């Protein structure tokens, strides 16, 4: 069997729309940092542009083309998640550096995307924060979108027919996946 017959390609898109329920005591800017699995325990990191705390809208998207084995793609879609971090950065630099502060984070499984009939999802995600909120204060939330395209029919069928990764193997095949995220194009709409 040709080794390329077992290869698959997916096109993934992440959209960061806007944020709500954020209160500031100081000036600075907001941004969202995203992490997506890239196989072999590696992650691809994306960051939105910084916006002011008075205008909490990004309307920004990231496109990726992912290549790997069908099994690896199946594992990514059934087991993988995208991590979102809402971060704040002061306008004041210290020693030429501007560090950011984590306001909250959340994870969204790719499973929610491929299980939808349209292969996409758009929703508000609540950001979990380490700081406790006062009574009646809503936690920060970010509106996101996730979309998958490409060789999905064969992969979706394989996902529905296989067990979860930990049940079918000892992650030997999953850890050795050659999944590459390329063409990380920043798009504004």
């Amino acid at each position: 069997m040709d080794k390329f017959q077992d290869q698959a390609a997916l096109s993934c898109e992440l959209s960061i729309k806007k944020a709500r329920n954020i209160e500031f005591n100081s000036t600075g800017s907001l941004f969202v940092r995203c992490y997506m699995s890239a196989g072999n325990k590696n992650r691809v990191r994306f960051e939105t542009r910084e916006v002011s705390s008075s205008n909490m809208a990004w309307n920004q998207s990231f496109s990726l083309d992912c290549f790997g084995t069908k099994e690896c793609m199946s594992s990514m879609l059934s087991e993988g998640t995208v991590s979102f971090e809402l971060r704040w950065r002061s306008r004041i630099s210290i020693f030429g550096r501007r560090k950011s502060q984590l306001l909250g984070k959340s994870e969204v499984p790719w499973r929610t995307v491929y299980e939808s009939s349209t292969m996409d999802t758009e929703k508000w995600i609540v950001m979990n924060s380490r700081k406790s909120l006062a009574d009646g204060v809503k936690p920060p939330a970010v509106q996101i979108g996730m979309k998958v395209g490409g060789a999905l029919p064969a992969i979706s069928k394989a996902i529905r027919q296989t067990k979860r990764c930990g049940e079918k193997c000892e992650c030997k095949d999953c850890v050795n996946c050659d999944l590459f995220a390329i063409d990380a194009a920043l798009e504004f709409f």
Side-chain angles (χ1 to χ4, degrees):
M1 178 162 86
D2 185 7
K3 70 177 183 177
F4 293 107
Q5 286 180 329
D6 192 39
Q7 299 296 304
L10 293 177
S11 174
C12 304
E13 184 175 312
L14 302 175
S15 301
I16 314 298
K17 312 269 186 197
K18 56 187 170 182
R20 66 180 181 200
N21 304 333
I22 300 169
E23 297 182 28
F24 282 98
N25 295 334
S26 59
T27 60
S29 56
L30 291 171
F31 66 99
V32 176
R33 184 177 288 165
C34 308
Y35 294 98
M36 183 177 142
S37 173
N40 292 327
K41 297 184 180 182
N42 294 318
R43 299 187 304 173
V44 177
R45 180 174 120 176
F46 305 97
E47 288 185 3
T48 63
R49 68 183 180 278
E50 294 182 19
V51 297
S52 70
S53 56
S54 61
N55 173 28
M56 295 183 283
W58 292 276
N59 293 325
Q60 191 171 359
S61 67
F62 303 92
S63 297
L64 299 127
D65 290 327
C66 304
F67 300 92
T69 64
K70 289 178 184 174
E71 185 176 341
C72 186
M73 294 293 163
S74 173
S75 177
M76 181 190 87
L77 289 177
S78 63
E79 306 290 324
T81 61
V82 178
S83 298
F84 297 92
E85 295 179 349
L86 179 62
R87 302 185 78 83
W88 174 83
R89 183 173 282 142
S90 172
R91 292 191 178 143
I92 301 168
S93 65
I94 301 171
F95 302 115
R97 296 186 67 197
R98 292 176 53 220
K99 289 190 173 187
S100 64
Q101 177 183 355
L102 179 66
L103 299 178
K105 62 193 263 182
S106 187
E107 286 190 352
V108 178
W110 280 108
R111 181 178 290 277
T112 60
V113 177
Y114 83 81
E115 286 180 345
S116 75
S117 61
T118 57
M119 297 296 191
D120 66 0
T121 186
E122 185 174 309
K123 61 183 176 178
W124 284 93
I125 55 173
V126 175
M127 301 305 227
N128 300 319
S129 177
R130 287 186 258 178
K131 294 181 180 180
S132 59
L133 299 172
D135 288 337
V137 176
K138 293 181 181 180
V142 174
Q143 185 181 25
I144 59 109
M146 294 170 64
K147 184 176 184 176
V148 177
L152 282 176
I155 292 173
S156 294
K157 184 177 178 183
I159 290 170
R160 290 181 178 99
Q161 290 176 346
T162 59
K163 298 177 184 175
R164 296 183 58 85
C165 175
E167 296 171 358
K168 70 179 179 184
C169 68
E170 294 173 340
C171 291
K172 177 166 41 167
D173 295 328
C174 302
V175 172
N176 295 321
C177 288
D178 292 322
L179 174 63
F180 302 101
I182 64 169
D183 189 29
L186 183 62
E187 300 172 1
F188 299 94
F189 52 93

